[in-house]
Amino acid sequence: MLDHPNADYRILTAADVPAYLAGLPAIAGRLGGQPADWTCQDVADGNLNSVFLVDGPAGGLCVKQALPYVRVAGESWPMDVSRAFFEFSYGQRIAPFVGRLAPAIHHFDAAQFIIVMEKLSPHIILRRAMIAGEHHPRVPEDVADYVAAASFYTSDLAAPFESKAADQAIFARNTALQRISVDLVFTDPYAVSERNRITAPLEAWAASFRADIDLKAAVTRARLTYLTRAQSLLHGDLHSGSIMVTQAETRVIDGEFALVGPSGFDIGNFIAHYVMAWYAKPFHESGATSVGVFRDHLAADIVLFWDRFEARFLSHWRGFAGAADGLPASHFSGPAGAARAETLRRAYVADLFRDALMFMACKIIRRVLGFAQIADFLVITDEAVRALPQAAALAFARSVLLYPERYGDIAAIVAALPRFDAAGLDPAVTRGE
Amino acid sequence: MLDHPNADYRILTAADVPAYLAGLPAIAGRLGGQPADWTCQDVADGNLNSVFLVDGPAGGLCVKQALPYVRVAGESWPMDVSRAFFEFSYGQRIAPFVGRLAPAIHHFDAAQFIIVMEKLSPHIILRRAMIAGEHHPRVPEDVADYVAAASFYTSDLAAPFESKAADQAIFARNTALQRISVDLVFTDPYAVSERNRITAPLEAWAASFRADIDLKAAVTRARLTYLTRAQSLLHGDLHSGSIMVTQAETRVIDGEFALVGPSGFDIGNFIAHYVMAWYAKPFHESGATSVGVFRDHLAADIVLFWDRFEARFLSHWRGFAGAADGLPASHFSGPAGAARAETLRRAYVADLFRDALMFMACKIIRRVLGFAQIADFLVITDEAVRALPQAAALAFARSVLLYPERYGDIAAIVAALPRFDAAGLDPAVTRGE
Ligand SMILES: Nc1ncnc2c1ncn2[C@@H]1O[C@H](COP(=O)(O)OP(=O)(O)O)[C@@H](O)[C@H]1O
Ligand SMILES: Nc1ncnc2c1ncn2[C@@H]1O[C@H](COP(=O)(O)OP(=O)(O)O)[C@@H](O)[C@H]1O
């Protein structure tokens, strides 16, 4: 049944794509020429979907189809194809706020669960760039702008509450992918699960996390926050594998995990992948710069990202003059009102920071002890070596979850990174740090 | 257009009801006899809808129709009739958890926006009983059982998150009535609004609330909590006017404000109306008992209600053995796990208590300074007199919003009631109390 979401649905192969696009003349016009002139390449490297890049004499297109199962796992793990609808709906909803920071979406096929969008070229996935030691200095600020605009303008701070309620009515149905987040991020890494893929030398770390009642209590708070704090429309999977870059441009792709949830979730996820890149870097290329210099870039980027997010979010809010229910202007008029409104804004952003750190830590742990591992670590082929930066990342994440009061600002986060660099394979050694 | 939600819709009068029910033979069977044997009475005393009570030889029915406007305001205030759909959906959803604490629902007419339900007889509205000095000792515990079951079983604590997500997909569309709550509860009372109906001698209180930046900051937090804390399916309007009672039975009616929101909202609303009844009581009948004794009943009922809610909520949770995402059993096995799980449960309930007090205070203020006034005060015809218990209620509510740390348990709430009894018409006198 899942193989046939509807009578018309069929799984596209690279050979089918030109004929498919020929059936959409308005869109295929962007390719120029005739179907015979088009080349099509299967580039799926994500976990879930088919992705084809098509080139014609006049330009390129990207064709993404949701499969009725998880691509990397195969047909044994069925997955609702309507995730393509949610990715499309998310893209439509945030386009006015993020502009060129997301690819242009040209078409959605509701029967085939296909999105046709702008082909990003010569953009590459940020994660690969990081692993290769290529630094992209625009990324932190571009992604900060993206998250600040999306999380402000889809919240109750920037609109009558009916606007977010309409998003909830739609995205509350995106449960198939949220089930993945709930299980793989917040639950499996702290339990014995056959889905977990643990680097063998990390077995002691995994066992200590499974036994760590304080850590699991902190994760319970994080999971409940994820499930109940309905602040804004989120991307839901905003890591370095969902960002495509050139030196001049940044694009956020792959919004199929979209949900109305805690704004700190996207923020924390993005930072988590910079942290993991920082720990992995000594085992990678570092390009033209030394490892130390590249790490300094990454640490500086984390600070830049948060500072820019905070500044942009506050400036959207301060400049907002429309009707909104979050902080009604009528309650905060006059100089005293303006001063208090500013206090409330800063308190709101401080809450986002705390949430972001909590989610950052959960995202690090799930990438080390859970199902969906990341290339930053996997490219280190020797498990005995790979376990070292992974252990450091775990030790750092645990510290943030257990001792949040030590991490009061973004400077404290980057200052802490080197402290866990040599955490090692015995989880007890750094337990109180 | 609003007068005609669809081509079939027409506003029912008492004269139309027998013919209408005759068209639903399965339901009309409960009345017995023939339409000619049925009597129909228009009993609408709520703010929004038409309500008819129909009696036949074998039994009675209640027929409630949503009008395309607010009944008390008339056609100048249009109101989406789909609120009947949400009231029906809410009733269906909570029926398995609350059983006989809600009326049985027999039929929903999606074209006429009519609910046909059990006629409650000889039940009367709790508010009227309170004003008349009739004490109904079962009510606090029955309503506590209702709220505990509804708020636990519709939360992520008692089900996979998909269950609450399905409720969100439905109830996020109930925006027409949530707009009323957002405006009338959280916004209008702190601003100049032509909808506010302020007892003349309270003008100084109203002005002081409009100018009180600390109070409005606290209300901002309450409003944001209402808008973003998606914990469970709520009744949304759970006050003494939505509860029908006999000495033996309690029934909660009128769930048309249903939303997925903070569980503390229903709790706080219920307590708010006991508090207002307490302040109003010296100006009412007190039945067979003295005013002092009746007040002691009300204060004891507030404590009973909270204690019972807490006990029931915790016992549902402790006894829960199904699959749920809020607090996965796999993370808290063994004696240490069980102990920590209990700590987390108590912390959760402590958060509900804090939220409940915040909402209680907001609900008191909106009933004194806002549009929808309550009979408890309105039956005191002399405004100069009415203003006194209203001022006391305002002073109490302000204290709870400004100094929440003084109200750490339910005993502190009832102990504080007499402190504000003589608050008087000058809001400055009790400002720091
Ligand atoms: N618009 C695009 N232009 C060019 N390449 C793209 C585009 N969208 C996706 N890709 C490529 O396809 C890969 C998988 O896409 P992604 O959206 O991450 O899929 P998944 O949902 O399966 O994770 C990306 O890593 C990237 O290499
Ligand atoms: N099931 C019922 N049985 C008997 N009387 C009812 C029933 N439901 C409502 N009523 C009466 O009708 C009045 C208005 O009903 P309510 O549901 O509160 O309407 P509204 O939504 O307009 O506030 C109630 O105060 C009560 O007197």
Side-chain angles (χ1 to χ4, degrees):
Chain A
M1 193 199 82
L2 270 159
D3 284 85
H4 301 283
N6 60 59
D8 288 336
Y9 179 88
R10 64 194 162 77
I11 293 175
L12 228 56
T13 66
D16 303 325
V17 171
Y20 176 77
L21 288 175
L24 302 168
I27 291 149
R30 296 171 181 271
L31 296 170
Q34 297 303 315
D37 308 323
W38 305 340
T39 58
C40 178
Q41 205 189 338
D42 181 340
V43 296
D45 69 350
N47 291 321
L48 290 172
N49 304 291
S50 287
V51 180
F52 304 99
L53 299 184
V54 187
D55 286 293
L61 288 171
C62 173
V63 177
K64 178 170 177 179
Q65 183 178 39
L67 303 175
Y69 48 80
V70 174
R71 201 184 62 84
V72 286
E75 308 200 8
S76 63
W77 188 342
M79 184 59 51
D80 185 354
V81 289
S82 64
R83 61 190 187 267
F85 166 77
F86 296 110
E87 178 170 346
F88 167 71
S89 302
Y90 171 79
Q92 297 282 99
R93 177 76 173 101
I94 57 146
F97 314 126
V98 304
R100 297 267 297 156
L101 294 171
I105 298 177
H106 301 310
H107 182 70
F108 177 61
D109 182 331
Q112 302 297 333
F113 299 93
I114 288 170
I115 298 168
V116 184
M117 65 185 129
E118 179 185 4
K119 178 192 164 194
L120 301 175
S121 174
H123 305 65
I124 60 167
I125 291 287
L126 174 62
R127 188 188 306 287
R128 296 205 199 145
M130 285 174 148
I131 294 170
E134 293 162 23
H135 184 233
H136 287 80
R138 289 186 58 104
V139 174
E141 292 179 308
D142 283 345
V143 177
D145 288 354
Y146 178 101
V147 178
S151 61
F152 179 73
Y153 286 108
T154 64
S155 78
D156 297 314
L157 307 174
F161 81 89
E162 288 88 347
S163 170
K164 194 190 75 187
D167 289 336
Q168 287 181 295
I170 295 171
F171 293 96
R173 293 182 286 119
N174 192 16
T175 50
L177 294 209
Q178 285 187 53
R179 171 50 65 195
I180 294 180
S181 291
V182 171
D183 287 349
L184 301 195
V185 180
F186 294 110
T187 309
D188 287 1
Y190 310 91
V192 174
S193 161
E194 58 178 19
R195 282 188 295 219
N196 291 337
R197 297 181 190 164
I198 301 164
T199 310
L202 289 179
E203 203 30 79
W205 273 97
S208 87
F209 275 28
R210 289 194 297 268
D212 193 331
I213 209 81
D214 297 330
L215 195 67
K216 288 185 289 185
V219 171
T220 299
R221 281 188 285 276
R223 190 193 306 96
L224 280 173
T225 301
Y226 174 79
L227 291 173
T228 64
R229 189 159 297 166
Q231 289 176 313
S232 64
L233 183 62
L234 310 183
H235 180 283
D237 196 31
L238 187 57
H239 53 68
S240 56
S242 300
I243 297 168
M244 297 189 72
V245 296
T246 64
Q247 285 298 326
E249 286 189 349
T250 309
R251 295 280 201 290
V252 175
I253 62 170
D254 199 16
E256 66 190 336
F257 281 81
L259 73 153
V260 175
S263 304
F265 191 75
D266 283 350
I267 301 167
N269 200 359
F270 180 79
I271 297 174
H273 288 260
Y274 271 68
V275 167
M276 289 186 281
W278 192 94
Y279 283 117
K281 186 43 62 186
F283 308 93
H284 294 165
E285 300 292 321
S286 64
T289 57
S290 71
V291 166
V293 171
F294 200 92
R295 278 185 148 190
D296 289 347
H297 285 326
L298 292 172
D301 283 353
I302 290 171
V303 176
L304 263 179
F305 169 72
W306 171 261
D307 283 353
R308 175 79 165 207
F309 167 81
E310 180 176 59
R312 296 295 294 164
F313 190 89
L314 286 171
S315 101
H316 288 310
W317 197 349
R318 290 177 191 132
F320 181 76
D325 287 307
L327 188 67
S330 65
H331 283 193
F332 296 95
S333 58
R340 179 56 58 88
E342 182 62 14
T343 305
L344 293 172
R345 286 191 281 262
R346 289 189 194 168
Y348 190 99
V349 172
D351 284 345
L352 293 189
F353 183 73
R354 275 185 289 272
D355 283 357
L357 294 194
M358 175 173 77
F359 292 125
M360 173 199 71
C362 294
K363 286 292 196 170
I364 291 172
I365 294 167
R366 68 77 59 109
R367 293 296 185 182
V368 177
L369 298 181
F371 170 74
Q373 303 271 325
I374 55 173
D376 311 61
F377 294 129
L378 292 179
V379 295
I380 309 167
T381 46
D382 182 344
E383 289 213 333
V385 178
R386 187 197 305 160
L388 298 173
Q390 289 184 312
L394 290 178
F396 168 75
R398 179 179 62 183
S399 179
V400 170
L401 282 174
L402 293 183
Y403 315 111
E405 70 285 358
R406 297 182 189 167
Y407 301 95
D409 62 18
I410 198 68
I413 287 294
V414 296
L417 294 174
R419 250 177 36 226
F420 298 95
D421 216 8
L425 300 182
D426 180 354
V429 174
T430 50
R431 177 62 172 73
E433 277 175 35
Chain B
M1 194 199 79
L2 271 160
D3 284 85
H4 302 283
N6 59 60
D8 289 333
Y9 180 87
R10 67 196 159 75
I11 293 176
L12 227 57
T13 66
D16 302 325
V17 172
Y20 176 76
L21 287 175
L24 302 168
I27 291 148
R30 297 172 179 270
L31 296 171
Q34 298 302 316
D37 308 323
W38 304 340
T39 59
C40 178
Q41 204 189 339
D42 181 340
V43 295
D45 69 350
N47 291 322
L48 290 171
N49 303 290
S50 286
V51 180
F52 304 99
L53 299 184
V54 187
D55 286 292
L61 288 170
C62 173
V63 177
K64 178 169 176 178
Q65 182 177 41
L67 303 175
Y69 47 81
V70 174
R71 201 184 61 86
V72 286
E75 308 201 10
S76 63
W77 189 343
M79 185 58 53
D80 185 353
V81 288
S82 63
R83 62 190 187 268
F85 166 77
F86 296 109
E87 178 170 348
F88 167 71
S89 303
Y90 171 78
Q92 297 281 99
R93 177 78 173 102
I94 56 147
F97 314 126
V98 304
R100 297 267 298 157
L101 294 171
I105 298 177
H106 300 310
H107 182 70
F108 176 61
D109 182 331
Q112 302 296 334
F113 299 93
I114 288 171
I115 297 169
V116 184
M117 65 185 128
E118 179 186 4
K119 178 192 164 194
L120 301 174
S121 174
H123 305 65
I124 60 167
I125 290 286
L126 173 62
R127 189 188 306 288
R128 297 205 199 142
M130 285 174 148
I131 293 169
E134 294 161 22
H135 183 232
H136 287 79
R138 289 186 58 103
V139 173
E141 293 179 307
D142 283 345
V143 177
D145 288 354
Y146 178 102
V147 178
S151 61
F152 179 72
Y153 286 109
T154 64
S155 79
D156 297 316
L157 307 175
F161 82 87
E162 288 87 347
S163 170
K164 193 190 74 187
D167 289 335
Q168 286 181 294
I170 294 170
F171 293 96
R173 293 182 286 119
N174 192 15
T175 51
L177 294 210
Q178 286 187 53
R179 171 50 64 197
I180 294 180
S181 290
V182 171
D183 288 349
L184 301 196
V185 179
F186 295 109
T187 308
D188 287 1
Y190 311 91
V192 174
S193 162
E194 57 179 22
R195 283 188 294 219
N196 292 338
R197 297 182 190 163
I198 301 163
T199 310
L202 289 179
E203 203 28 82
W205 272 97
S208 88
F209 275 27
R210 288 194 298 267
D212 192 332
I213 209 79
D214 298 330
L215 195 67
K216 287 185 290 185
V219 171
T220 298
R221 281 188 285 275
R223 190 194 305 97
L224 279 173
T225 301
Y226 174 80
L227 291 172
T228 65
R229 189 158 296 166
Q231 289 177 312
S232 64
L233 184 62
L234 310 183
H235 180 283
D237 197 29
L238 187 58
H239 53 70
S240 57
S242 300
I243 297 167
M244 298 190 72
V245 296
T246 64
Q247 284 298 325
E249 287 189 347
T250 309
R251 293 281 201 288
V252 175
I253 63 169
D254 200 16
E256 67 192 334
F257 280 82
L259 73 151
V260 174
S263 304
F265 191 74
D266 284 348
I267 301 167
N269 200 0
F270 180 79
I271 297 174
H273 288 259
Y274 271 68
V275 167
M276 290 186 281
W278 191 94
Y279 282 116
K281 186 42 62 187
F283 308 93
H284 294 166
E285 300 292 322
S286 63
T289 57
S290 71
V291 165
V293 171
F294 201 92
R295 278 185 148 189
D296 289 346
H297 285 327
L298 292 173
D301 283 353
I302 290 172
V303 176
L304 264 179
F305 168 73
W306 171 259
D307 283 353
R308 173 80 165 205
F309 167 81
E310 181 175 58
R312 297 294 294 164
F313 191 89
L314 287 171
S315 100
H316 287 311
W317 198 349
R318 290 177 192 134
F320 181 77
D325 287 309
L327 187 67
S330 66
H331 283 193
F332 296 95
S333 58
R340 179 57 57 86
E342 181 61 15
T343 305
L344 294 172
R345 286 191 281 263
R346 290 190 193 167
Y348 190 98
V349 172
D351 284 345
L352 294 189
F353 183 73
R354 276 185 288 273
D355 283 357
L357 294 194
M358 173 174 79
F359 292 124
M360 172 199 72
C362 294
K363 286 291 194 169
I364 291 171
I365 294 167
R366 67 77 60 108
R367 293 296 185 181
V368 177
L369 298 181
F371 170 74
Q373 304 270 326
I374 53 174
D376 311 61
F377 293 128
L378 292 178
V379 294
I380 308 165
T381 45
D382 181 343
E383 289 213 334
V385 179
R386 186 196 306 160
L388 299 174
Q390 289 184 314
L394 289 177
F396 168 76
R398 179 179 61 183
S399 178
V400 170
L401 282 174
L402 293 183
Y403 314 111
E405 69 286 359
R406 297 182 190 168
Y407 301 95
D409 62 19
I410 197 68
I413 287 294
V414 296
L417 294 175
R419 249 177 37 225
F420 299 95
D421 215 9
L425 299 182
D426 179 354
V429 174
T430 49
R431 177 62 171 73
E433 278 175 36

